[in-house]
């Protein structure tokens, strides 16, 4: 027990906490940027698939099937190590963001598709009767309702992105897990380092899930109809 305490004191002193904080900041930055890519691409894919846009709908279905059948580490390697063969070289950060975002977009597409399917068709008809175009009805009426339904699943997807970002060390990105491996090689304290990393990842994802649930409750209160009293 004394040896464990000494190990934790070693890891949590000197320059090592600074390295862990630096890695944590990079993990959050990569995950947040990848989420933006995921939401943008996933929403587009979800829309063209739900409304069966000619050609684009079929391409979207094919994209989702292919990406969901590829391990994330393989996609990261293709983006970082494979694209230079085609004349496109990316640094570690944009490569990780692109790979994580495109990978997550396939799952976000399914989330958006489910959200759009939950909106009654009468909502679109009512919007069109008010003079809105099909695109305006989708943007101002259908999508906001779909996002409300999809919020819990999107929160889970963001958690998956944070955990998946640990694979970004494969493309030389010095994120949290990579910094942990560096500390392990420097101190030979494998158990203590990975225990600290596990605690950090847990606290990060636990906090995020609580924030998402708080947003869910606020949206649910905003959606509730006020009581009507007869005087």
């Amino acid at each position: 027990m004394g040896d464990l305490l000494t190990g934790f004191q070693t890891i949590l002193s000197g320059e090592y906490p600074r390295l862990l904080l630096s890695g944590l900041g990079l993990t959050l930055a990569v995950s947040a940027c990848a989420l933006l890519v995921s939401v943008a691409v996933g929403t587009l894919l979800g829309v063209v698939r739900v409304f069966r846009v000619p050609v684009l709908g079929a391409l979207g279905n094919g994209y989702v099937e292919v990406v969901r059948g590829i391990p994330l580490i393989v996609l990261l390697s293709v983006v970082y190590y494979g694209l230079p063969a085609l004349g496109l070289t990316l640094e570690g950060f944009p490569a990780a963001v692109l790979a994580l975002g495109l990978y997550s977009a396939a799952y976000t597409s399914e989330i958006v598709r489910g959200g759009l399917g939950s909106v009654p068709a009468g909502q679109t008809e009512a919007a069109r009767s008010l003079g809105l175009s099909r695109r305006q009805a989708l943007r101002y009426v259908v999508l906001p309702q779909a996002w409300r339904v999809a919020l819990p699943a999107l929160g889970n997807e963001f958690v998956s992105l944070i955990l998946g970002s640990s694979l970004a060390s494969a493309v030389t990105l010095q994120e949290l897990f990579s910094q942990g491996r560096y500390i392990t090689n420097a101190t030979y304290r494998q158990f203590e380092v990975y225990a600290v990393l596990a605690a950090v990842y847990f606290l990060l994802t636990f906090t995020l899930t609580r924030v998402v649930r708080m947003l869910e409750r606020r949206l649910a209160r905003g959606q509730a109809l006020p009581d009507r009293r007869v005087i």
Side-chain angles (χ1 to χ4, degrees):
M1 182 62 69
D3 185 57
L4 282 178
L5 292 176
T6 301
F8 282 115
Q9 289 175 355
T10 300
I11 295 166
L12 300 176
S13 61
E15 67 169 347
Y16 299 134
R18 180 182 59 81
L19 293 176
L20 291 175
L21 287 175
S22 173
L24 177 59
L26 195 52
T27 291
L28 291 174
V30 168
S31 301
C33 293
L35 181 65
L36 294 178
V37 174
S38 173
V39 169
V41 177
T43 300
L44 179 61
L45 289 173
V47 169
V48 298
R49 294 175 67 202
V50 168
F51 293 98
R52 299 177 182 178
V53 179
V55 181
L56 293 179
L59 290 176
N61 288 330
Y63 175 88
V64 171
E65 293 299 327
V66 169
V67 172
R68 290 173 66 183
I70 299 176
L72 176 55
I73 188 65
V74 174
L75 186 57
L76 278 164
S77 300
V78 168
V79 171
Y80 187 74
Y81 298 106
L83 289 184
L86 303 178
L88 179 59
T89 302
L90 298 176
E91 298 294 331
F93 186 87
V97 168
L98 181 62
L100 284 167
L102 293 179
Y103 186 82
S104 175
Y107 297 90
T108 300
S109 169
E110 291 294 292
I111 295 171
V112 172
R113 191 162 69 98
L116 289 172
S118 69
V119 180
Q123 295 290 318
T124 302
E125 296 172 1
R128 295 297 301 275
S129 68
L130 293 174
L132 297 180
S133 66
R134 188 178 184 85
R135 181 177 300 179
Q136 290 174 326
L138 176 65
R139 179 179 177 183
Y140 297 111
V141 178
V142 178
L143 274 179
Q145 297 181 65
W147 281 120
R148 183 181 290 112
V149 173
L151 179 62
L154 285 174
N156 292 333
E157 187 59 29
F158 190 30
V159 169
S160 298
L161 274 175
I162 291 175
L163 298 179
S165 67
S166 61
L167 294 175
S169 58
V171 295
T172 71
L173 199 65
Q174 300 300 309
E175 40 71 52
L176 182 59
F177 184 73
S178 180
Q179 296 287 17
R181 288 200 305 182
Y182 170 80
I183 297 173
T184 298
N185 294 332
T187 62
Y188 299 101
R189 294 284 185 174
Q190 289 88 350
F191 176 81
E192 294 89 337
V193 171
Y194 293 125
V196 170
L197 290 182
V200 172
Y201 278 116
F202 170 76
L203 290 174
L204 190 59
T205 56
F206 180 81
T207 302
L208 178 61
T209 54
R210 289 300 178 273
V211 170
V212 171
R213 289 181 184 178
M214 181 182 68
L215 290 175
E216 287 181 58
R217 289 193 293 268
R218 292 191 64 178
L219 289 173
R221 286 199 299 268
Q223 196 176 15
L225 294 176
D227 295 333
R228 295 183 178 179
R229 299 180 180 180
V230 179
I231 300 177

